[in-house]
Amino acid sequence: MLVLRLLNVVAPAYFLCISLVTFVLQIFVFIPSMFRDPSTTPLFSPALLHGALFLFLSANALGNYVLVIQSSPEDLGKDLNLSKGAEVADWLDGSRSPGSALPSTHFCRLCARVTQRHDHHCFFTGNCIGSRNMRNFIMFCLYTSLACLDSLVAGMAYISATLSMSFEDPLAFLTLLPHSISQFFSGALLSSEMFVILMLYLWLGIGLACAGFCCHQMLLILRGQTRYQVRKGMVVRARPWRENLQEVFGKKWLLGLFIPVQNVESSYRRQKEK
């Protein structure tokens, strides 16, 4: 448990550090290097277009990241008046409280609260993912993946121009790291260039991981399931996939694709208001 709590603090700091390094490299290294092409007009130069795209992706990734943290799942334990006796032990075992009629609820040891439609605990946000912030979490994964892949392409263009090498051969990227390490220790490669090369592989790993995680979450949403339900083998009621999507993304789903907006209210809160 101590290791998990430490990871819950270190992982968000690691993500913010990687984001800051990516932003600095893009704004102060990659984008200025694109202004060297005099054949393009200033209005439609690759540097300005790429800069606008990167800022759009970064703003959405950071905006949804903040909304995931702010839109914390509700602590249903307060509303259910759970004591510190046997009922809390039932939550710790992953089962429902004896006096509760709410499905898909789970007690998170790290957050110390009971949440509805618990999916998983995200260490990079230090928060549980549930009914209130699922949409923002998926948008965060999507735009983080796109921002990393965008930085990967810009970094490869920068390395190609700096080291006068071509990536037309598919094996060129795979052999770039071992060749760069040997050149770095021989003194033929600068430390700044070696750092950019290491960041290329980091962006590739994060981008592919976020893209795969986003696709996996979308498949679960289409089936009306959460990761917690799949892990516990819970049977869910079959519903049309359109209803499952609307429950997570809401009716104004198109707006959430371009602007970081707060997720729809949970069904539990709507039940309480009624």
Side-chain angles (χ1 to χ4, degrees):
M1 180 58 65
L2 180 61
V3 176
L4 294 179
R5 292 187 181 277
L6 181 62
L7 181 62
N8 202 43
V9 176
V10 174
Y14 172 78
F15 170 77
L16 294 177
C17 181
I18 294 298
S19 302
L20 180 60
V21 171
T22 302
F23 184 82
V24 171
L25 288 177
Q26 283 273 18
I27 299 300
F28 296 101
V29 179
F30 299 158
I31 295 179
S33 65
M34 299 178 184
F35 279 103
R36 299 174 182 176
D37 187 5
S39 61
T40 57
T41 60
L43 182 61
F44 298 102
S45 63
L48 293 180
L49 294 177
H50 173 77
L53 176 61
F54 174 74
L55 291 177
F56 170 76
L57 298 177
S58 301
N60 276 275
L62 182 59
N64 284 285
Y65 179 82
V66 173
L67 289 177
V68 169
I69 299 176
Q70 289 183 347
S71 304
S72 301
E74 297 169 298
D75 188 357
L76 304 184
K78 298 179 180 179
D79 300 301
L80 296 174
N81 297 321
L82 294 180
S83 61
K84 297 183 179 180
E87 291 185 350
V88 175
D90 292 333
W91 288 110
L92 293 175
D93 293 335
S95 59
R96 291 188 302 166
S97 170
S100 172
L102 298 174
S104 306
T105 46
H106 174 66
F107 179 85
C108 179
R109 294 175 180 268
L110 295 176
C111 295
R113 59 189 174 196
V114 181
T115 59
Q116 184 188 23
R117 288 196 62 81
H118 175 86
D119 189 86
H120 69 285
H121 182 90
C122 177
F123 290 98
F124 287 99
T125 60
N127 199 8
C128 276
I129 307 301
S131 58
R132 294 187 62 189
N133 55 6
M134 175 59 73
R135 181 179 69 177
N136 296 123
F137 177 75
I138 293 178
M139 291 295 101
F140 160 69
C141 291
L142 174 62
Y143 280 105
T144 299
S145 175
L146 294 177
C148 287
L149 296 179
D150 176 81
S151 301
L152 173 64
V153 173
M156 291 176 62
Y158 173 79
I159 292 297
S160 178
T162 303
L163 303 182
S164 300
M165 62 178 301
S166 175
F167 288 98
E168 294 181 358
D169 186 4
L171 297 178
F173 183 80
L174 299 178
T175 58
L176 175 62
L177 183 59
H179 289 168
S180 300
I181 294 176
S182 60
Q183 292 179 1
F184 175 73
F185 285 105
S186 64
L189 193 65
L190 299 177
S191 58
S192 58
E193 298 171 345
M194 186 64 197
F195 178 75
V196 173
I197 293 175
L198 293 176
M199 289 299 298
L200 294 181
Y201 289 90
L202 183 61
W203 288 326
L204 177 63
I206 296 177
L208 293 180
C210 289
F213 196 84
C214 183
C215 294
H216 176 67
Q217 288 293 138
M218 287 300 301
L219 289 176
L220 292 178
I221 291 174
L222 291 174
R223 295 164 54 184
Q225 290 181 308
T226 62
R227 293 181 62 189
Y228 176 73
Q229 290 174 337
V230 174
R231 188 170 67 252
K232 293 296 182 179
M234 298 180 179
V235 180
V236 297
R237 180 172 59 89
R239 296 189 308 175
W241 61 270
R242 294 181 182 273
E243 294 184 8
N244 296 328
L245 284 178
Q246 184 174 345
E247 183 180 6
V248 174
F249 292 92
K251 296 181 179 180
K252 299 180 180 180
W253 60 270
L254 187 60
L255 181 63
L257 292 179
F258 301 99
I259 302 176
V261 292
Q262 193 172 7
N263 198 0
V264 295
E265 295 184 347
S266 65
S267 58
Y268 175 71
R269 173 174 294 184
R270 291 195 296 265
Q271 291 176 3
K272 290 197 302 181
E273 292 177 353
K274 291 181 180 179

